[in-house]
Amino acid sequence: MSIADIKKSLEQKMLKSIDSFKGDLSKIRTGRAHPGILDQVQVDYYGSLVPISQVANVTLIDARNISVQPWEKGMGAKIEKAIRESDLGLNPASQGDLIRVPMPALTEERRKDLIKIVKAQAEDAKIAVRNLRRDANEQAKRLLKDKEVTEDDDRRSQDEVQKLTDRVIIEVDKLVQAKEAEILAV
């Protein structure tokens, strides 16, 4: 492995961290219904917890309502209970076999809670990026210890790794600012 390999691997991993963070942000609702909101809700299905999407069709009725259509008759009550007990603040209503999940309007207090959640996820993303930086620097140190690279190469690689880390952290901050503006604007 060379310094170039380490940097290339690091860059790919950091891009994956950013993509993961973007996915996490997309799940935070801003008053509009989105079927992906229910992705993290787990339902008891014959003794094991599975995502709702594995036991029901999740679709949009309109901009403010999600419909959940269980594939089995007995799952409706379990799905409704799982949605109600999730930390999403949703109140589903059964209409025969169909479960309607209306999106409540955002209150000022809920907006502040959502911003706290966004900032916590951003901090997790930054920690992941810093851990990747540490791992890359340790790999470069190993190469130096094994005398496969010079001290100058090691120092240069640490500088480049730090610059990449700084760029990724700035990108995370920009995503947080955009999501905050979206939450406050709705």
Side-chain angles (χ1 to χ4, degrees):
M1 180 177 278
S2 69
I3 298 263
D5 293 338
I6 292 171
K7 286 190 284 190
K8 186 174 183 179
S9 171
L10 175 68
E11 193 165 356
Q12 289 172 345
K13 289 176 183 176
M14 285 190 176
L15 289 175
K16 285 180 185 176
S17 291
I18 292 254
D19 290 342
S20 173
F21 179 59
K22 285 179 182 177
D24 291 344
L25 285 183
S26 70
K27 292 177 184 170
I28 295 177
R29 66 185 183 86
T30 57
R32 290 186 50 106
H34 183 277
I37 291 170
L38 299 178
D39 284 350
Q40 69 229 31
V41 178
Q42 302 279 312
V43 179
D44 179 31
Y45 185 67
Y46 297 107
S48 59
L49 292 176
V50 296
I52 285 182
S53 60
Q54 293 184 7
V55 294
N57 285 333
V58 180
T59 57
L60 286 180
I61 297 174
D62 56 37
R64 311 255 323 143
N65 292 291
I66 297 174
S67 120
V68 180
Q69 179 75 46
W71 295 331
E72 295 180 23
K73 287 234 183 253
M75 289 303 297
K78 291 179 181 180
I79 292 173
E80 189 176 351
K81 180 181 177 194
I83 293 171
R84 190 168 282 118
E85 290 177 353
S86 71
D87 63 348
L88 298 173
L90 301 175
N91 191 18
S94 290
Q95 295 177 330
D97 291 339
L98 182 73
I99 300 170
R100 290 176 60 101
V101 184
M103 291 290 123
L106 290 176
T107 62
E108 190 64 32
E109 182 180 329
R110 182 66 179 149
R111 290 174 202 258
K112 289 178 182 175
D113 289 344
L114 289 176
I115 289 173
K116 285 180 188 174
I117 291 169
V118 167
K119 288 184 177 182
Q121 288 180 348
E123 193 55 39
D124 290 344
K126 288 178 184 179
I127 289 169
V129 167
R130 290 181 192 123
N131 288 341
L132 291 170
R133 174 189 62 192
R134 183 196 62 224
D135 294 344
N137 285 337
E138 285 175 359
Q139 288 175 339
K141 287 283 186 209
R142 259 186 255 120
L143 290 177
L144 177 64
K145 183 180 173 191
D146 295 341
K147 302 205 184 308
E148 293 180 29
V149 297
T150 65
E151 287 185 21
D152 289 342
D153 289 339
D154 177 53
R155 211 168 294 118
R156 198 173 308 114
S157 97
Q158 286 185 15
D159 290 342
E160 290 172 6
V161 165
Q162 184 61 47
K163 287 177 186 174
L164 177 62
T165 303
D166 292 343
R167 281 198 318 261
V168 170
I169 287 179
I170 288 170
E171 177 70 20
V172 167
D173 288 338
K174 286 180 184 177
L175 291 169
V176 168
Q177 288 176 342
K179 190 65 175 183
E180 280 184 31
E182 180 184 335
I183 290 170
L184 294 174
V186 173

